[in-house]
Amino acid sequence: MLRREDFIWCVGYQGNAAVVDSRAKKAYGKLSSRQLLEKGLFRSACSAAMYDQSEPDMQLVISAYNELTGAGITGTDEMKRLLGISAVPEEINTVIRV
């Protein structure tokens, strides 16, 4: 299974490997979903909330996104679809750093 920091900064998959943005991971890897949200990193904040299985943090991400954009996102699935995030893959255990 992917580590938290790798999942948050994953930009895609190649076979059974996750492709991870190593520069962003190094700069922001240890931040909480709330801290990422404060920096305007919505996709990463959403990924962190998903990985942590924190519904309150996910709702905070949705509310902040709606407030900033005027969108009417109502649920977690809709937010994940908008940001292109899928579930934490269990079969991925290799990381490609770019």
Side-chain angles (χ1 to χ4, degrees), residues 29-84:
K30 300 290 183 186
L31 298 182
S32 70
S33 58
R34 291 172 189 247
Q35 291 168 318
L36 292 164
L37 189 57
E38 288 171 3
K39 295 189 177 298
L41 302 170
F42 286 93
R43 186 179 191 284
S44 301
C46 185
S47 294
M50 270 183 60
Y51 193 93
D52 298 339
Q53 297 180 351
S54 173
E55 189 59 32
D57 285 352
M58 183 62 78
Q59 291 306 314
L60 186 65
V61 171
I62 292 169
S63 294
Y65 186 84
N66 284 338
E67 185 177 322
L68 183 68
T69 65
I73 305 296
T74 57
T76 299
D77 288 338
E78 194 176 354
M79 189 72 192
K80 290 184 334 187
R81 192 170 39 255
L82 175 74
L83 298 174

Side-chain angles (χ1 to χ4, degrees), residues 5-23:
E5 293 82 17
D6 291 330
F7 179 71
I8 293 171
W9 299 106
C10 180
V11 295
Y13 299 95
Q14 182 174 337
N16 68 341
V19 180
V20 175
D21 181 342
S22 60
R23 181 176 283 171

